[in-house]
Amino acid sequence: MEIIIQPDAEAATAVASHIVSQLLRNKPNAVLGLATGRTTVGLYRVLAQMKLDWSGVTTFNLDEYVGLPPEHAQSYHTFMRENLFRHVNVSPENTHIPDGTSGNIVELCEQYETQIRAAGGIDLQILGIGTDGHIGFNEPTSSLASRTRLKTLTQQTHEDNACYFGGADKVPDHVITMGLGTIMEARQCLLLAFGAKKARAIASTVEGPITSINPASILQMHPKVTVCLDRAAAADLKRADYYRWAYANKPGWQKF
Ligand code: PGA
């Protein structure tokens, strides 16, 4: 894992946007795994401003709420449309988000996996992290080998997302999410976390044991993960000085 600690979210987002834009320039037909949530809003804004060519890019989103139609204000279809897709020249037919209204979720999940494979696999998976350590909506105790499937949200996630729905009890209970096994097959992962609320989950993910109680910890087994943090999200890392030093002293050929 490469841990990049920046003074604030804006600076950490700038590093992340550089990694994504470099991929899109080097591989115009890249397959991107996309995440939603507050953490990614700034990244998508910066990427949209960069005027990159998205015409050959294919995208797969991590997750969607079960029961929300694509046009629902809080669906991740709407989030992606508003925050990224309508600002760039991506072809709508190349964007994929699980359909939360599907009548056959098991089949839909299998199809999603097949579509990812048919696209050649994901080159770069963008990830946020929940305060409970979820990536995608792989909540604590998710199988570390899981594939795209239905999951039930924890009480913590209901509370974390209550502001969008006007109360924790109004947050949908179920979601469709790529599995941890699915995420682990991406060729590169880019995890972003900002703010003190994420500090504990980040410390467990980077320096704790690999355990399904903290699903993001499986990323320790991934050969190419970059973690972009602001100072607050890095606050509980015991080896922060080492990560800062390593980043500041990267060999020239390794620099972005
Ligand atoms: P957030 O969500 O970016 O809104 O904090 C992250 C997540 O739940 O994965």
Side-chain angles (χ1 to χ4, degrees):
M1 267 190 200
E2 180 175 27
I3 316 300
I4 301 176
I5 304 169
Q6 295 289 299
D8 53 34
E10 201 182 338
T13 295
V15 174
S17 66
H18 193 80
I19 293 170
V20 180
S21 62
Q22 212 174 34
L23 171 70
L24 265 50
R25 288 195 180 102
N26 291 341
K27 190 172 180 187
N29 62 344
V31 180
L32 274 185
L34 300 176
T36 50
R38 284 156 279 231
T39 311
T40 56
V41 171
L43 174 64
Y44 295 145
R45 190 186 313 119
V46 173
L47 287 173
Q49 285 164 355
M50 285 178 157
K51 302 287 174 217
L52 299 159
D53 181 10
W54 291 71
S55 60
V57 174
T58 298
T59 68
F60 288 92
N61 264 79
L62 285 166
D63 43 25
E64 180 57 287
Y65 292 106
V66 169
L68 296 197
E71 58 280 6
H72 189 284
Q74 299 309 330
S75 78
Y76 288 152
H77 283 77
T78 298
F79 179 98
M80 290 312 304
R81 204 169 45 243
E82 292 305 314
N83 287 288
L84 181 65
F85 294 158
R86 75 185 182 89
H87 306 290
V88 298
N89 66 335
V90 69
S91 302
E93 64 271 21
N94 290 347
T95 65
H96 305 84
I97 305 175
D99 176 5
T101 61
S102 166
N104 189 338
I105 289 176
V106 173
E107 196 181 316
L108 174 128
C109 292
E110 277 170 19
Q111 275 171 3
Y112 207 64
E113 293 276 339
T114 304
Q115 286 175 314
I116 294 172
R117 269 195 300 276
I122 291 171
D123 290 304
L124 176 65
Q125 176 66 57
I126 296 165
L127 298 166
I129 187 169
T131 57
D132 64 1
H134 70 217
I135 48 175
F137 269 136
N138 292 283
E139 297 286 34
T141 71
S142 285
S143 159
L144 298 179
S146 50
R147 313 301 308 190
T148 303
R149 69 212 184 290
L150 180 104
K151 281 298 287 182
T152 305
L153 295 181
T154 58
Q155 188 55 33
Q156 179 68 55
T157 300
H158 278 87
E159 283 161 21
D160 288 346
N161 290 352
C163 55
Y164 299 115
F165 291 88
D169 56 332
K170 299 202 178 67
V171 177
D173 295 326
H174 296 112
V175 292
I176 298 166
T177 181
M178 272 189 214
L180 294 170
T182 322
I183 292 169
M184 288 293 285
E185 279 172 13
R187 286 183 271 281
Q188 182 176 1
C189 291
L190 176 59
L191 173 63
L192 284 77
F194 309 138
K197 274 166 68 179
K198 302 291 174 71
R200 207 178 53 171
I202 285 297
S204 308
T205 297
V206 175
E207 297 174 340
I210 297 172
T211 166
S212 66
I213 285 292
N214 181 46
S217 63
I218 189 60
L219 293 173
Q220 292 178 27
M221 296 291 290
H222 193 287
K224 197 168 182 192
V225 179
T226 305
V227 183
C228 293
L229 306 171
D230 68 358
R231 198 181 282 125
D236 289 355
L237 289 169
K238 291 194 176 62
R239 307 255 168 166
D241 288 347
Y242 168 66
Y243 311 137
R244 285 195 172 94
W245 192 91
Y247 184 62
N249 291 279
K250 269 161 100 85
W253 59 269
Q254 260 200 348
K255 290 195 174 135
F256 301 128

